[in-house]
Amino acid sequence: MAGEKVLVVEDDESLAAMLGDFLQEEGYRATIAGNGRRGRESLAGESFDVLLLDLNLPDGNGLDLFREIRGLAHPPIAILITGYATSDTAIAAVHEGAYDYLTKPLEMKVLRIALERAVGRLLADRRNEALTSLLRVIQMINTMDEPQKLLHRIVEILVAETRSSGGSILVYDEKEDVLRIGATTALSGDDVRRVTIRPGERISGWVLERNEPVLLLGSVCSHPLFRHLDPREDVQSSIIVPLTARDRRIGVLTLHREKASGLPTPAYTGVDVEVFRIFADSVAAAITNGRILTELRKARADLEYQKSMLAKKNEILTQSNRMLSEDNIRREQELRMAADIQKAFLPTQGPDIPGIDLAASLVPMHGVAGDFFRYRLLDGGHLEIRIGDVSGHGVPAALYMVLTETLFGDERTATESLPEVLRRVNESLLGYFDGAEHFVTVFDGVLDLAERRLRYVKAGHNPPVLFRHRTREAVLLDADGVFLGAFPYDRFEEKDVLLEPGDLVLLYTDGLVETSGGGTERFGLDRLIRGTLENLHLTSAGQMKRILDEVREFSGGRRTEDDRTVLLLRVEDE
């Protein structure tokens, strides 16, 4: 943990004390409130990351307090606790935005997992915000030609998108070996021109020289390295990150949040440091190249050789796309042609592997789909499994699905680096996709059949679920990595897990769990996990049929709003 702030609203003094001790031992910063009134006072005075809220409070209904909290500018993630409420109350609370629901007596193991997942949700939300802002920056850069205006616009967007109070970009002058202000929200005119900072001087110079980000909480004097500097008492927290490109110094990006006079504003955290490093990469690229579009065009030139190898398949895709734009009489025929092309890229029959039980199904929203899956034997006794989802629906998504599967290729080996495969595919997709209009999420894995060890990577896809037969547990197979085809990225994380006899791995696309029941209720991951755990005795084919039947029944037979794909891999009992 990185010291996330947790507010506990619990009237049971012994339980509250136990929770406080547990949270401190786990590395959290805990605040205890014995009733709803004190909880409201705490939330009015400062911001929190996670809220542990007892629904049964002496001075009111905890659910009412939860509803009030949702109206805050920066509400914490809520985990509700009760010893009396029915499952209907839990479901209602979750539908209203609660992240999780625990019952008394609390098990610390369960609480630990719930907190870890809640903090993981914080990380995911902040990353998503960063990616949205990054795409805005990229789109803006592509429409501007004047570097000076570009820097000011970048600062404005970053300040707005990250809920900061102000910020600056300092550009490194290699010839004079100094930092100069390229854009700022704080100074103007002669004041900007007079500011020069040498490497190692002040905070910005230290960050430039060390190429390390700095997170300041409170006054600058609170940091052991900068106690000698003049403090700004109005600043609540600051982040200073280096800007580098191709191992060259480009400059420094600074952002800060001021102390709020009204509603509390959350301070930056270690998670924000990671987020802003993503911004820093894009800003450095903008300064270095003037426009990111130039770099993308160069990347497209490097892909010409690969494009020539795909010429025949691209010709088919182009012809199909052209045919689909013709009159209504031919549309049905063309849709069938696109479906035939897509089916050629999907496995029709699973390999016969002793000890492995495979099953998969793709239910398209239309006649064709943007979802895809793959399983096939590789060299040296390894099995490749993959599932993915292209943004959008219908024929365009299906054609991009074919392109993506083509880029993964048929010649890969079992020993090839999985992060490198995703990096290569992402780089190739940038030559075809137009900005943020299309992207692809993917989960890709290789199973060593002898050791039963699964190596995997993930690019923004729903994490598959590993069902442990021996312990009856469900484990999410998550890993860091963003979706493919939107911007350059090479930080995909590879993980591995050892499968045991009877274990089941369930891969799926979001169309499965986001199926609507008619109102606001969705099928959901929890329902999928519960049903699968109750039927672990089934074969993969039986489990797949049960899942699809249950989803179809939940939706009331209504037309699907998205493609639904499921792939199951079961290790048979010895």
Side-chain angles (χ1 to χ4, degrees):
M1 299 300 103
E4 285 78 11
K5 296 168 65 177
V6 180
L7 174 61
V8 179
V9 182
E10 170 59 62
D11 63 310
D12 186 327
E13 294 182 0
S14 61
L15 176 57
M18 181 178 70
L19 288 173
D21 293 340
F22 171 79
L23 291 169
Q24 290 182 359
E25 291 174 0
E26 293 292 315
Y28 298 98
R29 290 179 288 167
T31 299
I32 307 298
N35 54 43
R37 177 181 59 80
R38 292 177 181 173
R40 291 180 176 88
E41 292 173 353
S42 296
L43 288 163
E46 58 182 312
S47 62
F48 293 89
D49 300 308
V50 180
L51 170 68
L52 293 178
L53 174 62
D54 189 348
L55 287 178
N56 187 17
L57 295 173
D59 57 347
N61 188 338
L63 191 57
D64 292 336
L65 175 57
F66 163 70
R67 289 167 177 158
E68 293 177 25
I69 292 169
R70 290 198 62 212
L72 295 176
H74 311 291
I77 290 182
I79 300 176
L80 306 182
I81 304 172
T82 186
Y84 74 92
T86 65
S87 59
D88 290 340
T89 304
I91 293 173
V94 170
H95 284 171
E96 292 190 36
Y99 179 72
D100 209 344
Y101 178 85
L102 305 176
T103 57
K104 298 178 182 178
L106 292 179
E107 295 184 21
M108 294 301 104
K109 178 180 178 181
V110 175
L111 176 58
R112 180 182 293 109
I113 293 173
L115 286 168
E116 289 174 353
R117 291 177 61 189
V119 172
R121 170 70 175 275
L122 278 176
L123 175 62
D125 288 347
R126 286 168 179 167
R127 280 179 175 163
N128 287 338
E129 289 180 8
L131 293 175
T132 300
S133 300
L134 179 58
L135 291 176
R136 286 176 177 268
V137 172
I138 293 173
Q139 292 168 349
M140 176 270 299
I141 289 173
N142 289 341
T143 61
M144 296 189 66
D145 297 316
E146 300 181 37
Q148 192 60 29
K149 290 184 178 180
L150 177 64
L151 294 182
H152 285 288
R153 187 65 182 130
I154 290 174
V155 171
E156 291 175 1
I157 290 179
L158 292 183
V159 168
E161 293 292 336
T162 61
R163 301 194 300 273
S164 298
S165 303
S168 302
I169 293 177
L170 290 87
V171 181
Y172 178 61
D173 185 332
E174 283 188 345
K175 185 176 180 180
E176 298 189 20
D177 192 29
V178 295
L179 282 169
R180 303 183 188 278
I181 295 178
T184 182
T185 59
L187 302 173
S188 60
D190 293 338
D191 292 332
V192 171
R193 287 187 286 273
R194 282 196 295 266
V195 175
T196 59
I197 302 173
R198 294 196 175 277
E201 292 181 350
R202 304 186 64 81
I203 303 176
S204 297
W206 188 94
V207 168
L208 178 73
E209 185 175 65
R210 303 296 181 87
N211 194 30
E212 296 179 13
V214 168
L215 170 63
L216 297 176
L217 299 177
S219 170
V220 65
C221 298
S222 63
H223 197 288
L225 293 175
F226 310 115
R227 288 174 178 164
H228 61 288
L229 300 177
D230 296 333
R232 277 189 59 184
E233 299 298 335
D234 61 326
V235 174
Q236 176 216 53
S237 57
S238 304
I239 285 182
I240 306 93
V241 295
L243 303 176
T244 60
R246 301 182 182 92
D247 297 325
R248 293 182 59 186
R249 294 174 176 176
I250 303 301
V252 173
L253 168 66
T254 74
L255 293 166
H256 69 270
R257 289 175 179 166
E258 298 177 356
K259 296 177 182 178
S261 57
L263 293 175
T265 301
Y268 298 121
T269 68
V271 172
D272 294 312
V273 174
E274 177 186 351
V275 167
F276 294 140
R277 288 305 295 265
I278 298 176
F279 285 124
D281 292 342
S282 296
V283 173
I287 297 172
T288 304
N289 302 313
R291 299 180 69 194
I292 290 180
L293 183 59
T294 302
E295 186 172 317
L296 293 178
R297 287 172 177 170
K298 292 179 181 178
R300 289 172 184 166
D302 294 336
L303 296 175
E304 286 304 318
Y305 175 75
Q306 295 182 33
K307 290 182 179 180
S308 66
M309 300 297 292
L310 297 171
K312 184 176 181 179
K313 292 179 181 178
N314 284 343
E315 183 180 351
I316 296 174
L317 297 176
T318 302
Q319 180 182 2
S320 299
N321 220 6
R322 186 168 55 250
M323 291 174 62
L324 290 171
S325 65
E326 294 177 359
D327 57 33
N328 293 331
I329 298 176
R330 299 177 57 189
R331 285 181 182 175
E332 187 63 31
Q333 177 184 357
E334 293 162 357
L335 189 61
R336 287 196 299 269
M337 179 180 178
D340 290 340
I341 295 173
Q342 183 180 43
K343 288 177 182 177
F345 285 83
L346 298 175
T348 57
Q349 184 175 0
D352 186 9
I353 305 172
I356 298 296
D357 179 18
L358 278 168
S361 175
L362 191 160
V363 181
M365 177 181 177
H366 304 295
V368 291
D371 286 3
F372 58 94
F373 65 88
R374 184 70 177 268
Y375 47 75
R376 64 187 175 104
L377 284 172
L378 301 178
D379 56 288
H382 293 79
L383 175 68
E384 174 190 27
I385 58 172
R386 180 166 56 255
I387 193 168
D389 186 359
V390 178
S391 61
H393 305 289
V395 172
L399 298 180
Y400 280 123
M401 163 261 157
V402 172
L403 172 62
T404 303
E405 267 299 289
T406 301
L407 291 173
F408 270 98
D410 295 326
E411 305 300 327
R412 65 184 294 185
T413 64
T415 58
E416 190 172 6
S417 165
L418 298 181
E420 174 60 21
V421 171
L422 288 190
R423 187 205 64 76
R424 186 177 66 242
V425 172
N426 182 55
E427 186 178 74
S428 299
L429 286 175
L430 291 175
Y432 294 91
F433 286 5
D434 182 14
E437 291 186 8
H438 296 286
F439 60 86
V440 185
T441 68
V442 174
F443 177 92
D444 190 37
V446 174
L447 173 64
D448 186 321
L449 296 173
E451 295 184 5
R452 294 199 297 265
R453 184 172 297 280
L454 176 65
R455 297 186 298 114
Y456 61 90
V457 289
K458 188 171 74 69
H461 197 78
N462 305 76
V465 186
L466 168 60
F467 295 91
R468 292 292 192 186
H469 180 266
R470 180 172 55 83
T471 61
R472 313 289 291 185
E473 291 180 308
V475 181
L476 296 181
L477 301 183
D478 208 353
D480 288 341
V482 301
F483 46 76
L484 308 179
F487 47 82
Y489 186 85
D490 61 358
R491 301 175 186 173
F492 299 101
E493 177 186 20
E494 178 177 321
K495 289 188 176 181
D496 66 87
V497 64
L498 187 64
L499 305 184
E500 300 175 356
D503 285 355
L504 176 70
V505 180
L506 169 59
L507 290 70
Y508 63 94
T509 57
D510 56 6
L512 192 76
V513 295
E514 293 179 3
T515 297
S516 171
T520 59
E521 183 180 9
R522 304 290 176 176
F523 187 78
L525 179 58
D526 289 343
R527 192 191 310 270
L528 177 62
I529 291 176
R530 282 198 307 271
T532 306
L533 281 174
E534 293 171 358
N535 293 275
L536 285 182
H537 60 282
L538 294 177
T539 64
S540 291
Q543 192 76 260
M544 179 182 69
K545 182 179 183 303
R546 181 201 63 77
I547 290 172
L548 294 177
D549 288 347
E550 186 175 348
V551 171
R552 190 180 303 109
E553 181 179 352
F554 176 82
S555 68
R558 283 178 290 273
R559 181 176 178 179
T560 176
E561 300 173 354
D562 196 359
D563 306 326
R564 300 171 186 165
T565 302
V566 60
L567 190 158
L568 299 104
L569 182 152
R570 181 174 177 271
V571 179
E572 295 181 338
D573 296 332
E574 295 180 339

